[in-house]
Amino acid sequence: MLWCGTVTQQTAHKNTMVICVLGRYLLKSSLCSRSWCRKSSLYSAGHGFQPEEIREKLRAYPGGAVDLLTQGDTGLAVLTVNNPSRMNAFSGAMMVELEERVSQLESWTQGKGLIVRGAAGTFCSGADLNAVRAMSNPQDGMKMCMFMQDALTRLQRLPLVSVALVEGRALGGGSELSTACDFRLMAPDSVIQFVHKHMGLVPGWGGAARLVRLVGDRHALRLLGGALKVDPELGLRIGLADGVLEEGAPQDGDEGVALRQAEEWLSRYTKGPAEVIRAAKRVVSSGRELPLTEALRAEKEVFGTVWGGEANLRALAGKTKHK
Ligand SMILES: CC[C@@H](C(=O)O)C(=O)SCCNC(=O)CCNC(=O)[C@H](O)C(C)(C)COP(=O)(O)OP(=O)(O)OC[C@H]1O[C@@H](n2cnc3c(N)ncnc32)[C@H](O)[C@@H]1OP(=O)(O)O
């Protein structure tokens, strides 16, 4: 059996066991072959994608960590890219850890929101240049590209509302990581920069495809062709940033201040029952990625998971007035 969507949950309502995941329609439809499945990745062996072999290769470049903290009470998780001595650059081992953390989040059925951040007041300076140098042949480059595209696509498709908390710099692969979140919240003096041109590259972790969808092709071309520094003002103007942290907050020596602001910002979208928030993210994900007919069918399936559900019945039982 193909393993689709997120973890299969069974919810009993109206005396009917409803298999309530995106995965159900994915199983029935052709979408599984389009890589919407959790366990089937964007790439297959036919593309030269051998995940275990790639993991082994990447683990040869150690350093840093990708930490995950899940809060059961709030349904929020915090993913921290943690390699401060290299401005949170991704070592090979960290790429593998990122994928492992995404797998953990795919199995976290109570989650509602995710904050992606970097340790010690800066976001991420992309791939570790030491690893990049060692893997600069085309074969290794393609392997890393497929691996990171897969991990970041799965991150983006999580049924969690996600926000990149950008402090300091988000460079190269770091800027690409920020685009794999639903929202970007920037600290006042932060910068997102697709420096790929200066590296003789284009994005390869899916950042170009996502950037075009976020800001449109012309702004995307400006950012990639000019390797422009996107500060919060430009970010807000072109729609790359969704909010700016309060002035002064990250500078007061308490790393937690920015995180608390991000939690507060995110909470307006994650308040409420997990099944409803997760359903909202699922219909947005399918709307974002699928052709209309398929997106509508996906929406119907997700709708079926909340219609007549606990939260819906509770709302109907009360006096409804939306003021
Ligand atoms: C496919 C992935 C590919 C892509 O898609 O483009 C990449 O991501 S390639 C990497 C792209 N990123 C870079 O090229 C970043 C290069 N670094 C810098 O521009 C600067 O270091 C900085 C991030 C702007 C910070 O500058 P500054 O505040 O002046 O600090 P330092 O330069 O002293 O940095 C501290 C320390 O960190 C090391 N560092 C920073 N980034 C990386 C990196 N990506 N890989 C490895 N190491 C990195 C830097 O070398 C310093 O180390 P020491 O010299 O040992 O102190």
Side-chain angles (χ1 to χ4, degrees):
M1 179 182 129
L2 279 168
W3 226 111
C4 291
T6 54
V7 174
T8 301
Q9 302 168 335
Q10 293 199 316
T11 303
H13 66 84
K14 292 183 176 171
N15 300 324
T16 311
M17 290 302 282
V18 179
I19 308 294
C20 68
V21 284
L22 193 56
R24 186 179 62 164
Y25 84 86
L26 296 177
L27 277 170
K28 285 195 284 183
S29 75
S30 61
L31 285 175
C32 278
S33 63
R34 294 188 188 183
S35 309
W36 264 72
C37 298
R38 177 187 170 212
K39 294 284 177 190
S40 92
S41 59
L42 283 174
Y43 295 106
S44 65
H47 303 102
F49 188 60
Q50 307 281 3
E52 202 37 60
E53 181 206 307
I54 301 175
R55 282 184 201 106
E56 208 178 306
K57 189 169 261 302
L58 291 171
R59 283 193 192 105
Y61 307 102
V66 178
D67 304 322
L68 178 64
L69 196 78
T70 55
Q71 304 166 359
D73 52 341
T74 58
L76 292 190
V78 180
L79 186 86
T80 304
V81 182
N82 193 346
N83 193 8
S85 66
R86 294 186 176 168
M87 309 299 278
N88 300 326
F90 265 93
S91 66
M94 287 168 70
M95 295 179 198
V96 177
E97 270 194 39
L98 173 72
E99 191 222 11
E100 288 166 357
R101 300 294 173 248
V102 171
S103 294
Q104 281 175 256
L105 288 167
E106 283 169 338
S107 302
W108 188 40
T109 55
Q110 296 314 306
K112 299 193 277 183
L114 172 67
I115 296 171
V116 177
R117 67 191 278 265
T122 193
F123 189 70
C124 171
S125 65
D128 183 332
L129 289 168
N130 303 299
V132 169
R133 284 184 195 106
M135 296 195 295
S136 59
N137 66 79
Q139 295 79 8
D140 286 351
M142 286 303 96
K143 285 175 186 166
M144 181 197 62
C145 165
M146 287 189 282
F147 188 85
M148 286 302 281
Q149 277 194 4
D150 182 60
L152 292 182
T153 302
R154 285 168 52 198
L155 174 72
Q156 186 173 38
R157 289 176 180 169
L158 288 168
L160 305 171
V161 184
S162 58
V163 62
L165 167 56
V166 181
E167 299 175 87
R169 308 284 196 109
L171 300 184
S175 61
E176 298 193 61
L177 171 64
S178 80
T179 63
C181 294
D182 299 314
F183 302 110
R184 278 141 298 282
L185 198 50
M186 294 182 74
D189 55 355
S190 65
V191 168
I192 300 176
Q193 189 180 10
F194 293 80
V195 295
H196 305 77
K197 174 182 143 172
H198 296 324
M199 304 297 296
L201 289 172
V202 293
W205 294 0
R210 291 189 296 268
L211 186 64
V212 169
R213 282 159 178 76
L214 281 170
V215 301
D217 52 353
R218 288 179 307 153
H219 284 314
L221 196 51
R222 285 186 189 113
L223 298 195
L224 298 186
L228 298 188
K229 286 187 178 172
V230 182
D231 61 15
E233 193 265 323
L234 178 60
L236 285 175
R237 186 146 45 84
I238 65 176
L240 185 59
D242 300 277
V244 182
L245 295 185
E246 271 169 37
E247 199 75 47
Q251 285 88 26
D252 63 9
D254 180 358
E255 249 197 75
V257 174
L259 186 55
R260 282 196 289 279
Q261 278 196 54
E263 286 175 348
E264 169 74 20
W265 188 90
L266 187 57
S267 68
R268 77 189 81 168
Y269 307 115
T270 55
K271 243 176 232 144
E275 66 274 18
V276 179
I277 309 300
R278 293 167 71 87
K281 173 63 189 282
R282 285 193 178 107
V283 291
V284 170
S285 285
S286 56
R288 174 156 60 195
E289 291 197 43
L290 297 176
L292 184 62
T293 305
E294 289 171 53
L296 291 171
R297 287 181 186 150
E299 186 174 308
K300 170 182 153 290
E301 293 298 326
V302 178
F303 177 72
T305 71
V306 286
W307 177 262
E310 208 182 304
N312 179 224
L313 294 180
R314 208 180 320 118
L316 291 174
K319 190 164 182 270
T320 306
K321 199 161 189 168
H322 306 288
K323 278 198 161 177

